[in-house]
Amino acid sequence: IGTSKEAVHYQQSAMQPLEVCQALMTQEQFGGFLLGNIIKYRMRAKYKGKYEEDMHKSEQYAYWLYKVRQGEKIKPLNDTLPDNYKYGGI
């Protein structure tokens, strides 16, 4: 997510997968997609052996959901999780 090593393969595309989803979905649909990813990463965090990484990913999706609910379009490579962002629940 963002500029992590894992997301490098996405940088080779003209658009990020999240940008494609955002372009093809309504704001409500895209918000649901983001919410689903928050739930996914939080539920699996204890079981995959990468708790901190999965929790960070869930917080990144929560930040993006916050921005979308504010009416903003997200830019996955630029809209990375700010250091001072506090996840406030859904």
Side-chain angles (χ1 to χ4, degrees), residues 30-63:
F30 188 56
F33 168 79
L34 296 172
L35 178 57
N37 277 290
I38 296 165
I39 293 167
K40 171 184 74 173
Y41 284 116
R42 288 200 168 255
M43 288 188 71
R44 77 179 197 181
K46 291 192 295 186
Y47 306 108
K48 279 195 70 185
K50 296 182 179 182
Y51 181 83
E52 293 298 322
E53 182 179 322
D54 280 347
M55 293 303 287
H56 179 78
K57 287 179 181 180
S58 76
E59 290 171 3
Q60 177 66 70
Y61 277 97
Y63 176 64

Side-chain angles (χ1 to χ4, degrees), residues 16-84:
Q16 298 291 306
L18 282 171
E19 292 171 306
V20 173
C21 290
Q22 188 170 213
L24 295 175
M25 296 176 180
T26 66
Q27 184 177 356
E28 184 177 3
Q29 290 169 329
F30 188 56
F33 168 79
L34 296 172
L35 178 57
N37 277 290
I38 296 165
I39 293 167
K40 171 184 74 173
Y41 284 116
R42 288 200 168 255
M43 288 188 71
R44 77 179 197 181
K46 291 192 295 186
Y47 306 108
K48 279 195 70 185
K50 296 182 179 182
Y51 181 83
E52 293 298 322
E53 182 179 322
D54 280 347
M55 293 303 287
H56 179 78
K57 287 179 181 180
S58 76
E59 290 171 3
Q60 177 66 70
Y61 277 97
Y63 176 64
W64 286 332
L65 179 59
Y66 166 78
K67 290 181 76 67
V68 166
R69 287 180 173 171
Q70 299 301 310
E72 298 180 40
K73 287 207 176 276
I74 62 167
K75 298 174 188 85
L77 294 177
N78 297 330
D79 293 331
T80 55
L81 190 64
D83 290 336
N84 63 348

